[in-house]
Amino acid sequence: MKSVSLNNLPSSVRRDIEHIETAQQVQQLSLFVESKIANAGLRSSISNTFVGYDLWSRFIRHKREQVPVSAANNKVIISRKVSEKIDNVLYDGVLDISPALIKGKDADFLAWPSDREEKVERALIRLGAQGKIVKISGRVGERYAIVFTLRELQTELKSVSQTLSVSEIKESLMILKGAELSMRYREVDGDSESYSESSMNYISSIHFSGSSGKSTVKCIAFLNEVMSQQIEGLTYRSYYFDRVQSFKRSLSRWLALRLYQVFRYAATGKTYHFMLVNMSIKFGSITSEEEVADRLTAIRRDMTQTMKDFIESDIIESYTIENVKDNNGVIVDYKYEINPTEKFCAEVLNLNKQHRTRIAKAEAALEELTLGEQSEKL
């Protein structure tokens, strides 16, 4: 990437910045952008996913929810239950999604982050994984940020057949900045249990410079606390960006990303199973089991299309469905069991190797630093 300096950052943040370090200068960031997998024949369009956070139901599905402030209901915060077990740790609680307040020409409106904003967020992190990520120090503290132009973000979206105009991309970035995610949940790890409560924007802050409406507008997006903490702790995981984001259906994109996160021991002969209702709640197409009665046929139809997507894209070989009935013999749910392809298993194997290599490099660097400090004392 081009050299990043105060001169090519938006003027709104220059006065608060004392020092800028690129991915080549900061080990945590160099590991974040290290995306090459040494295996001929496998795709190299790698990005990173934030474990747990990217699986939470943070987006409004299947529609762009925007309403004039004057027409808004008394209750505008959307609440969703979370129950997710990752690396043997159970996260159980509630997410509250507060809309962004966006200025309009004749009226201001409330906008909730939708599938469109999820696409833009994924493309933004992909730019970071390509090296357009920096560490900025100054009055803003020490923070991670992605430096880019609207054209670069637009090109990244086009690479996976997602076409958005410059104005749509900018509006999505403003919604990601303005929308707020509040999380209240408990973490259960074996016999130990803790409680956590936090509130943050999807993007901590966003700044622009250049001619309004032009694709050459320069941008800097500061990452939020969850993303920054996972970069620091190396707890994020890599995935194949083009494989996941090329699907037209949001359910297919989200579930494919989920498989890369949670099906880490995929191997020929091993299967992965899930319940349709539970998975639909996790995805966000329904908010609770109470909604199922009128929606079961629709959510099964959506999952059938996603299974077809996965078979056509060589992620799964086949799948089975088992009816789940209540005491009256009425079908109330479906159990899906999927069989991964050799290609998907090979991808997961290589992603696991990359993660272990990343951890090993971080540990080696820490050991070298410790030995250096000890020798200085001597």
Side-chain angles (χ1 to χ4, degrees), residues 303-316:
M303 188 60 73
T304 297
Q305 293 301 319
T306 287
M307 293 296 103
K308 289 181 179 178
D309 285 344
F310 286 0
I311 290 173
E312 290 173 1
S313 63
D314 207 15
I315 288 178
I316 67 172

Side-chain angles (χ1 to χ4, degrees), residues 227-240:
M227 296 176 179
S228 298
Q229 288 171 3
Q230 292 208 14
I231 290 173
E232 285 284 343
L234 303 179
T235 52
Y236 57 89
R237 304 281 297 196
S238 296
Y239 73 100
Y240 290 85

Side-chain angles (χ1 to χ4, degrees), residues 6 14 47 67 79 90 101 158 185 192 194 254 263 282 308 329 347-348 377-378:
L6 285 177
R14 289 178 197 167
S47 188
V67 298
S79 296
L90 173 65
L101 178 61
K158 283 182 179 178
Y185 59 90
S192 121
S194 61
W254 179 84
F263 200 9
K282 292 179 186 295
K308 289 181 179 178
E347 289 175 339
V348 170
K377 291 179 181 179
L378 295 174

Side-chain angles (χ1 to χ4, degrees), residues 136-343:
I136 289 179
S137 305
R139 280 191 284 179
V140 296
E142 291 190 346
R143 300 168 66 188
Y144 295 135
I146 296 174
V147 181
F148 61 102
T149 66
L150 293 178
R151 177 180 292 167
E152 288 173 329
L153 192 51
Q154 188 179 46
T155 299
E156 202 56 52
L157 287 161
K158 283 182 179 178
S159 74
V160 286
S161 301
Q162 295 171 0
T163 303
L164 294 177
S165 68
V166 169
S167 60
E168 286 177 316
I169 291 172
K170 187 172 181 180
E171 184 180 81
S172 286
L173 290 169
M174 295 303 294
I175 292 173
L176 289 168
K177 163 60 188 78
E180 187 176 89
L181 186 68
S182 297
M183 299 169 282
R184 305 184 305 279
Y185 59 90
R186 61 191 182 99
E187 297 180 25
V188 182
D189 186 0
D191 295 329
S192 121
E193 181 175 328
S194 61
Y195 177 77
S196 178
E197 186 170 346
S198 59
S199 182
M200 69 193 71
N201 299 101
Y202 288 64
I203 294 175
S204 183
S205 66
I206 182 82
H207 303 264
F208 304 93
S209 68
S211 301
S212 178
K214 299 290 186 180
S215 62
T216 53
V217 167
K218 297 170 185 174
C219 317
I220 178 168
F222 287 88
L223 302 182
N224 67 29
E225 293 88 337
V226 169
M227 296 176 179
S228 298
Q229 288 171 3
Q230 292 208 14
I231 290 173
E232 285 284 343
L234 303 179
T235 52
Y236 57 89
R237 304 281 297 196
S238 296
Y239 73 100
Y240 290 85
F241 175 81
D242 51 350
R243 290 272 271 159
V244 168
Q245 291 301 108
S246 292
F247 291 118
K248 292 182 179 179
R249 299 176 182 85
S250 56
L251 175 59
S252 300
R253 293 192 298 270
W254 179 84
L255 188 53
L257 183 70
R258 179 182 183 84
L259 292 179
Y260 281 118
Q261 270 207 31
V262 304
F263 200 9
R264 295 180 191 167
Y265 303 103
T268 304
K270 284 190 175 182
T271 61
Y272 175 77
H273 71 270
F274 60 87
M275 305 302 295
L276 176 62
V277 172
N278 183 262
M279 194 62 73
S280 299
I281 293 172
K282 292 179 186 295
F283 170 60
S285 56
I286 58 175
T287 57
S288 66
E289 293 182 1
E290 285 71 29
E291 287 188 34
V292 173
D294 299 328
R295 299 286 306 279
L296 189 59
T297 300
I299 62 177
R300 176 177 172 174
R301 183 171 58 246
D302 289 344
M303 188 60 73
T304 297
Q305 293 301 319
T306 287
M307 293 296 103
K308 289 181 179 178
D309 285 344
F310 286 0
I311 290 173
E312 290 173 1
S313 63
D314 207 15
I315 288 178
I316 67 172
E317 286 187 347
S318 60
Y319 69 99
T320 59
I321 306 176
E322 180 182 336
N323 297 340
V324 178
K325 300 180 180 180
D326 63 13
N327 294 333
N328 296 318
V330 177
I331 297 175
V332 293
D333 204 347
Y334 297 94
K335 179 181 178 180
Y336 284 73
E337 189 164 13
I338 62 175
N339 299 282
T341 62
E342 289 185 7
K343 180 177 182 179

Side-chain angles (χ1 to χ4, degrees), residues 89-141:
V89 178
L90 173 65
Y91 300 86
D92 186 75
V94 176
L95 302 183
D96 290 331
I97 304 170
S98 300
L101 178 61
I102 303 297
K103 183 179 180 179
K105 183 178 180 181
D106 300 316
D108 299 333
F109 59 91
L110 298 175
W112 288 260
S114 67
D115 291 329
R116 186 186 70 174
E117 281 66 55
E118 186 175 35
K119 292 176 185 178
V120 171
E121 186 186 75
R122 294 269 189 269
L124 183 67
I125 299 305
R126 164 67 179 156
L127 290 180
Q130 288 177 313
K132 302 181 188 300
I133 188 167
V134 296
K135 182 178 182 180
I136 289 179
S137 305
R139 280 191 284 179
V140 296

